[in-house]
């Protein structure tokens, strides 16, 4: 199974990735620019001096320059690292990874346990392992390890032909979900189940069995709202349904985001000039709410262009999955595309009021080294499968 059929690079997969990363760097830089000028102006006016001449204004300018340096330069560093990893993944045979899928899964699972023990707490969440000036977020890499393990387990149809065999995939799914939920990280937790369902379908599971699983999960989630979710998580869901019920607390971020997105109009306010109308600032506009910055400054046209890049990438990836008869590769692409697609939908959805605010990054764009690196790895694996077609001599798929 190690022999491959030479295939040319699919630039419809590669080009959107690099354009999205570039857009992300520009958006992160821009997210700090208008805020910089407001603070400098406000400080100078408060001091009764010319802008930039007061010690207070100079201090604020230094703080914001430091903000830009840390966030933009860190993002560029991880973009370069991600590019190196991306190129490395193209040079190996993805089928070799199959043999290490379970080991990778267990290793990342161990890191999730380590997070609970020594993880760094930020904004009330314990999600990161400190590594000097940087921090590692294992949950980002667990999404990939989980897909790899599922693809390895379900690569033959007999593993999911009967519902009793769902036990294995379900266990591989709920164990990391539980550890990530404890951090707490509800947003990332929500990605696993749709990915599981899609991969079961692709692997050949019977539709009636999948529907039974979905119905069971819906019942469990409904119960979990009352007995598992913390109060602030319930408040976020309530704010999603009616953000005006608490406009100064739970609904604040969504309201500011909606105003900012709407203020962009058709062509936007221009790069680096983001002002959200009557609002002062959209929290996390360089991170989870980076799409708000893009919408406000680049308008409907810019937002549509970004959505078009995602759509092009996802459709091209699904096309590669369809053309790949080798079961592990097809499942690998299907799972990776599903989690990236669901994550993109949730992130953009929460900025425009179509999904609850859960704190989940936008793939390839949001600030965050772990998020960007994991997105590059996922893209590298997808391109690898499309590039190294392994022939299958079975009469039917997944045999």
């Amino acid at each position: 199974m190690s022999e491959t059929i030479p295939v040319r690079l699919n630039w419809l997969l590669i080009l959107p990735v690099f354009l999205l990363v570039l857009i992300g760097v520009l958006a992160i830089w821009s997210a700090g620019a208008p805020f910089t000028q407001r603070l400098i102006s406000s400080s100078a006016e408060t001091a009764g001096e010319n802008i930039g001449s007061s010690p207070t204004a100079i201090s604020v300018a230094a703080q914001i320059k430091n903000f830009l340096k840390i966030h933009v330069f860190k993002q560029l560093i991880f973009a370069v690292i991600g590019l190196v990893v991306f190129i490395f993944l193209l040079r190996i045979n993805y089928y070799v990874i199959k043999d290490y899928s379970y080991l990778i899964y267990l290793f990342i699972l161990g890191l999730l346990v380590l997070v609970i023990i020594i993880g760094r707490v930020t904004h009330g969440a314990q999600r990161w392992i400190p590594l000097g000036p940087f921090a590692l977020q294992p949950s980002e890499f667990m999404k990939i390890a989980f897909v790899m393990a599922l693809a390895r387990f379900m690569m033959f149809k007999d593993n999911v032909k009967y519902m009793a065999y769902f036990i294995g995939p379900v266990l591989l799914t709920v164990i990391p979900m539980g550890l990530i939920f404890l951090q707490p990280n509800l947003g990332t937790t929500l990605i696993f189940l749709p990915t599981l369902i899609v991969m079961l379908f692709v692997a050949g599971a019977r539709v009636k069995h999948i529907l039974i699983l979905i119905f069971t999960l819906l019942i469990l989630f409904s119960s979990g709202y009352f007995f598992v979710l913390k109060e602030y998580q319930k408040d976020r869901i309530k704010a999603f349904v009616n953000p005006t019920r608490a406009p100064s607390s739970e609904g604040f971020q969504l309201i500011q985001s909606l105003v900012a997105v709407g203020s962009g109009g058709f062509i936007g306010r221009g790069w680096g000039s983001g002002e959200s109308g009557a609002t002062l600032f959209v929290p996390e506009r360089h991170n989870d709410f980076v799409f708000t910055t893009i919408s406000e400054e680049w308008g409907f046209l810019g937002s549509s262009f970004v959505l078009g890049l995602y759509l092009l990438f996802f459709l091209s990836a699904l096309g590669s999955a369809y053309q790949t008869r080798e079961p592990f590769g097809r499942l690998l692409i299907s799972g990776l595309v599903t989690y990236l697609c669901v994550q993109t939908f949730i992130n953009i959805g929460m900025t425009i009021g179509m999904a609850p605010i859960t704190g989940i990054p936008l793939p390839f764009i949001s600030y965050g080294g772990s998020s960007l690196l994991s997105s590059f790895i996922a893209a590298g694996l997808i391109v690898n499968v499309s590039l190294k077609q392994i022939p299958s001599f079975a009469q039917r798929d997944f045999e």
Side-chain angles (χ1 to χ4, degrees):
M1 292 295 290
S2 60
E3 296 183 0
T4 60
I5 301 174
V7 180
R8 297 176 62 181
L9 280 174
N10 186 348
W11 289 100
L12 294 180
L13 281 172
I14 298 174
L15 188 60
V17 169
F18 288 95
L19 287 176
L20 288 170
V21 172
L22 176 60
I23 290 171
V25 173
L26 293 175
I28 292 168
W29 179 280
S30 180
F35 190 44
T36 303
Q37 190 58 46
R38 281 203 305 274
L39 285 183
I40 294 176
S41 302
S42 176
S43 300
E45 290 173 2
T46 302
E49 303 173 15
N50 293 327
I51 295 176
S53 64
S54 70
T56 305
I58 294 174
S59 174
V60 171
Q63 292 176 21
I64 300 300
K65 286 181 180 178
N66 187 51
F67 169 89
L68 292 174
K69 178 180 179 181
I70 291 175
H71 289 73
V72 177
F73 288 174
K74 273 189 176 182
Q75 192 76 349
L76 287 173
I77 289 173
F78 278 99
V80 172
I81 296 174
L83 177 60
V84 172
V85 173
F86 180 85
I87 295 174
F88 170 76
L89 288 173
L90 297 188
R91 298 180 64 86
I92 65 176
N93 191 329
Y94 79 87
Y95 203 74
V96 176
I97 300 176
K98 171 186 69 68
D99 297 328
Y100 301 95
S101 295
Y102 293 146
L103 289 177
I104 295 172
Y105 175 87
L106 291 174
F107 175 73
I108 304 298
L109 203 63
L111 292 181
L112 289 177
V113 175
L114 193 61
V115 168
I116 299 175
I117 301 172
I118 65 168
R120 188 180 71 188
V121 179
T122 303
H123 301 304
Q126 190 171 356
R127 305 174 185 173
W128 299 268
I129 297 176
L131 299 172
F134 302 100
L136 179 71
Q137 188 174 359
S139 60
E140 288 295 322
F141 302 98
M142 190 68 239
K143 292 178 289 190
I144 299 174
F146 145 78
V147 169
M148 292 168 58
L150 275 186
R152 175 69 182 87
F153 185 89
M154 298 192 299
M155 61 183 295
F156 298 111
K157 185 177 291 185
D158 285 344
N159 282 0
V160 293
K161 189 175 183 180
Y162 303 101
M163 197 162 186
Y165 287 97
F166 280 27
I167 296 175
V170 169
L171 285 177
L172 288 172
T173 304
V174 298
I175 292 174
M177 281 182 63
L179 292 173
I180 293 173
F181 182 79
L182 291 175
Q183 294 180 355
N185 189 348
L186 180 60
T188 301
T189 304
L190 294 175
I191 292 175
F192 285 76
L193 291 177
T195 306
L196 168 65
I197 291 170
V198 170
M199 292 184 69
L200 283 170
F201 177 78
V202 173
R206 295 175 179 175
V207 175
K208 65 177 181 179
H209 292 164
I210 295 177
L211 291 176
I212 293 173
L213 177 61
I214 293 175
F215 181 73
T216 304
L217 292 173
L218 288 175
I219 295 176
L220 292 175
F221 265 85
S222 300
S223 302
Y225 176 85
F226 298 100
F227 304 108
V228 178
L229 292 186
K230 299 181 183 297
E231 199 60 38
Y232 77 90
Q233 293 171 329
K234 295 180 182 179
D235 290 338
R236 286 183 174 181
I237 296 176
K238 294 175 182 177
F240 160 66
V241 177
N242 181 18
T244 58
R245 66 181 293 272
S248 61
S249 54
E250 290 83 10
F252 174 80
Q253 196 165 11
L254 176 56
I255 293 174
Q256 308 307 320
S257 177
L258 291 173
V259 173
V261 170
S263 69
F266 189 72
I267 60 174
R269 296 174 176 270
W271 180 70
S273 61
E275 291 285 347
S276 47
T279 62
L280 295 175
F281 188 67
V282 176
E284 301 297 332
R285 64 187 293 163
H286 67 291
N287 193 351
D288 297 339
F289 276 74
V290 69
F291 190 75
T292 300
T293 301
I294 294 172
S295 299
E296 183 182 11
E297 298 183 354
W298 299 6
F300 176 78
L301 284 179
S303 302
S304 298
F305 178 71
V306 171
L307 292 175
L309 290 176
Y310 278 116
L311 184 61
L312 177 61
F313 176 75
F314 295 145
L315 291 179
S316 300
L318 290 176
S320 296
Y322 180 77
Q323 295 172 3
T324 302
R325 288 202 62 207
E326 188 279 308
F328 178 76
R330 180 181 289 186
L331 283 169
L332 187 62
I333 292 183
S334 301
L336 294 174
V337 170
T338 300
Y339 104 69
L340 288 171
C341 185
V342 172
Q343 184 169 325
T344 301
F345 175 81
I346 293 177
N347 178 277
I348 295 178
M350 70 184 188
T351 65
I352 58 177
M354 293 182 62
I357 296 176
T358 56
I360 189 171
L362 185 60
F364 304 109
I365 293 182
S366 287
Y367 169 76
S370 296
S371 172
L372 182 58
L373 186 55
S374 67
S375 297
F376 261 117
I377 294 173
L381 290 172
I382 291 172
V383 177
N384 187 302
V385 176
S386 70
L387 184 62
K388 303 181 186 300
Q389 295 287 334
I390 298 177
S392 175
F393 300 101
Q395 295 181 354
R396 292 181 295 178
D397 293 337
F398 295 95
E399 287 190 335

